[in-house]
Amino acid sequence: MDYGPCDELPSSYKILVAGGFGVGKTTLVSSISEIRPLITEEILTGASIGVDNTQGVEAKNTTTVALDFGRITIDEQLVLYLFGTPGQQRFLFVWDELAYGAIGAIIVADTRRLAESFASIDYFEQRGTPFLVAVNCFEGARRYDCDEIKQALNLDPAIPVCQFDARSRASVKSVLIGLVQHLMARAEEN
């Protein structure tokens, strides 16, 4: 887009993509971003042994150490900036900086390690940041319906839960649409 001096700039909004280690946050940002995403993946080192829980993702050999960043233009008047958070507890100090100014969050979950979602849920509930839970459907993982996942995570009934494939641009797009609809519904209630 090329803006002249009198053109109105589009509204832009910040959305966080959070969740535990290895749930698909980087993949989500990479599959939807219209620009080459900024990815801060580094190789796991011996320092992570006994610190990072790799159960269920033993083949994973990299991790986000700062953030992932991508952009998606919805239309000429709306641009979303996606900020993916690091998943390990030892990088949680980064979240406060990344969360500043965010209008909402997508919490990516993995049914093989659903308990990894609680830290993200607690983080956004404590701050009053609206979010939805998006369950990344990994091949070979047991499938649960959204109500079962909502109950397992002890979520407020108003929190949306959806299932998606982080590798699919169309699937990630439906998650973003779900979050925007959730944000709009909350705004109408207030």
Side-chain angles (χ1 to χ4, degrees):
M1 281 184 213
D2 186 22
Y3 295 100
C6 296
D7 292 335
E8 187 175 326
L9 294 175
S11 297
S12 59
Y13 298 98
K14 181 180 190 178
I15 293 176
L16 262 73
V17 179
F21 173 68
V23 296
K25 300 176 301 290
T26 299
T27 303
L28 180 155
V29 172
S30 297
S31 67
I32 195 72
S33 182
E34 66 194 19
I35 61 171
R36 182 175 173 208
L38 169 67
I39 305 294
T40 61
E41 289 271 302
E42 293 295 332
I43 294 177
L44 288 170
T45 66
S48 69
I49 296 172
V51 176
D52 296 329
N53 179 7
T54 59
Q55 185 177 359
V57 289
E58 293 84 3
K60 185 163 175 55
N61 62 2
T62 61
T63 186
T64 300
V65 296
L67 68 115
D68 300 320
F69 174 78
R71 181 186 74 206
I72 179 87
T73 301
I74 304 301
D75 62 31
E76 290 184 6
Q77 297 303 312
L78 179 61
V79 176
L80 301 177
Y81 292 103
L82 305 175
F83 288 79
T85 65
Q88 298 97 320
Q89 293 291 319
R90 61 192 163 118
F91 294 124
L92 283 180
F93 67 93
V94 176
W95 285 38
D96 288 334
E97 292 299 321
L98 293 177
Y100 183 77
I103 63 165
I106 297 167
I107 298 175
V108 182
D110 177 353
T111 59
R112 299 170 300 177
R113 301 172 298 120
L114 206 52
E116 297 285 318
S117 305
F118 286 118
S120 301
I121 291 167
D122 290 345
Y123 182 88
F124 294 112
E125 282 181 341
Q126 289 174 8
R127 284 157 183 77
T129 303
F131 65 91
L132 67 67
V133 175
V135 180
N136 194 5
C137 297
F138 287 93
E139 291 177 26
R142 184 166 173 206
R143 304 292 168 114
Y144 299 90
D145 68 41
C146 292
D147 288 334
E148 290 175 303
I149 293 166
K150 189 176 281 200
Q151 184 176 5
L153 293 173
N154 195 29
L155 293 174
D156 181 286
I159 305 295
V161 174
C162 62
Q163 298 183 28
F164 82 116
D165 181 343
R167 301 168 297 179
S168 164
R169 181 177 177 83
S171 191
V172 171
K173 183 178 176 182
S174 70
V175 171
L176 286 170
I177 290 169
L179 178 63
V180 170
Q181 289 172 337
H182 177 57
L183 295 171
M184 290 170 52
R186 281 182 49 115
E188 287 176 8
E189 291 171 6
N190 295 332

